[in-house]
């Protein structure tokens, strides 16, 4: 188990585009495990993208199991292949502590990715899972929720 340091807004790595993962080797599996441990060690995180721990590779972890949803999901090279409808959700981000914002996202998405075994998977998501997947995949392109939010709020402690 290894917890990695979460990079915060202002760190230029969060603004860079991550590279596709071509080979799923032990380093990538370790990265995914560490990302999961880092996510679980954070108080209210439900998703984490590799650039948030300083690695510019297209990998995300999502865990909504404590909210009664899906997870843990460890996705490699995730890509939104279909998006439908709209929903507005109040989002936060482990890289932007203390701030929440309302962001308009698709109501439903279909995401294609590889799992840890390198198998192609297709995920249909709606509600909060769709929001988290969009948020994390944005991180892989250097986009933060604050770029898209229309209203901001202080996060209550
Ligand atoms: Zn985030």
């Amino acid at each position: 188990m290894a917890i990695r340091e979460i990079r915060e807004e202002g760190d230029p790595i969060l603004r860079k585009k991550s590279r596709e993962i071509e080979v799923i080797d032990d380093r990538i599996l370790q990265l995914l495990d560490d990302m999961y441990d880092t996510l679980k060690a954070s108080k209210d995180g439900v998703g984490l993208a590799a650039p948030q721990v300083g690695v510019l590779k297209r990998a995300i972890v999502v865990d909504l199991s404590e909210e009664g949803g899906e997870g843990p999901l460890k996705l490699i090279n995730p890509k939104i292949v279909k998006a439908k409808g709209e929903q507005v959700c109040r989002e936060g981000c482990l890289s932007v502590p203390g701030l929440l914002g309302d962001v308009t996202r698709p109501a439903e998405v279909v995401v294609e990715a590889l799992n840890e075994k390198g198998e192609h998977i297709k995920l249909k998501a709606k509600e909060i899972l769709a929001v988290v997947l969009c948020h994390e995949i944005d991180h892989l392109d250097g986009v933060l929720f604050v770029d898209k939010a229309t209203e901001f709020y202080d996060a209550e402690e």
Side-chain angles (χ1 to χ4, degrees):
M1 162 149 179
I3 293 167
R4 300 200 189 190
E5 186 200 343
I6 295 180
R7 307 297 182 93
E8 295 189 354
E9 199 192 4
D11 188 323
I13 205 155
L14 291 173
R15 292 306 191 174
K16 295 193 172 147
K17 206 170 152 70
S18 293
R19 287 178 298 274
E20 295 258 325
I21 292 169
E22 276 157 28
V23 182
I24 302 170
D25 55 16
D26 287 347
R27 278 181 66 131
I28 295 296
L29 296 175
Q30 187 65 55
L31 170 67
L32 285 164
D33 281 350
D34 289 356
M35 284 168 62
Y36 179 70
D37 292 340
T38 305
L39 177 63
K40 294 308 346 172
S42 75
K43 217 169 53 170
D44 343 279
V46 290
L48 193 70
Q52 291 182 275
V53 293
V55 179
L56 288 171
K57 293 191 189 298
R58 302 187 82 84
I60 64 171
V61 296
V62 171
D63 191 5
L64 290 165
S65 57
E66 280 176 33
E67 283 71 24
E70 296 235 14
L73 299 170
K74 295 174 180 172
L75 303 179
I76 295 163
N77 300 337
K79 197 168 148 193
I80 296 166
V81 294
K82 240 184 238 177
K84 198 167 86 176
E86 257 183 28
Q87 61 176 322
V88 178
C89 189
R90 192 157 298 176
E91 296 182 22
C93 179
L94 293 171
S95 294
V96 191
L99 196 65
L100 300 175
D102 289 342
V103 184
T104 303
R105 300 283 190 187
E108 290 179 44
V109 292
V110 177
V111 170
E112 287 183 359
L114 298 176
N115 66 14
E116 289 173 281
K117 296 176 194 152
E119 298 162 339
H120 281 274
I121 53 169
K122 197 180 228 184
L123 235 117
K124 273 189 193 169
K126 55 184 181 173
E127 295 166 352
I128 181 82
L129 181 59
V131 171
V132 179
L133 288 168
C134 290
H135 177 119
E136 301 312 330
I137 292 170
D138 269 354
H139 273 299
L140 304 180
D141 294 314
V143 175
L144 299 178
F145 85 97
V146 294
D147 305 343
K148 295 184 167 177
T150 48
E151 297 284 338
F152 291 96
Y153 309 87
D154 285 331
E156 301 282 332
E157 280 304 310

